[in-house]
Amino acid sequence: MKLLAKKPLLVAGDVIAEGELFTVTEQRGRELVLLGYARPAESETVEVDSQNDSVTKPSQRIRGKKAVDDADS
């Protein structure tokens, strides 16, 4: 997942400056977005559900515990 740092971060032993683009795993990226340390890069669109602190991509809906693409409906 590509992100832009909102604050200086330490990622994989490297210091990421504010406003710098970096890549992390999907899970770590969602966590950093929820914590407010980073935001998705322009090509990545993520929606944060503040009611239960979950993150989903717009092309996915949550049905039970499994994310399902809209095309599978």
Side-chain angles (χ1 to χ4, degrees):
M1 176 177 215
K2 291 184 181 183
L3 301 171
L4 283 170
K6 286 180 153 181
K7 301 177 181 182
L9 297 168
L10 185 64
V11 177
D14 295 324
V15 176
I16 308 297
E18 184 176 341
E20 190 174 335
L21 184 67
F22 65 101
T23 304
V24 293
T25 63
E26 192 75 24
Q27 182 178 357
R28 182 64 176 150
R30 286 180 285 181
E31 181 180 16
L32 291 171
V33 169
L34 282 174
L35 292 172
Y37 294 129
R39 66 181 176 85
E42 296 301 320
S43 63
E44 297 280 334
T45 304
V46 175
E47 294 177 0
V48 177
D49 183 359
S50 60
Q51 198 170 31
N52 62 7
D53 290 336
S54 66
V55 178
T56 59
K57 290 185 179 180
S59 64
Q60 294 179 331
R61 289 181 288 151
I62 303 298
R63 195 180 295 160
K65 293 184 181 180
K66 184 179 177 184
V68 179
D69 287 331
D70 289 332
D72 293 340
S73 301

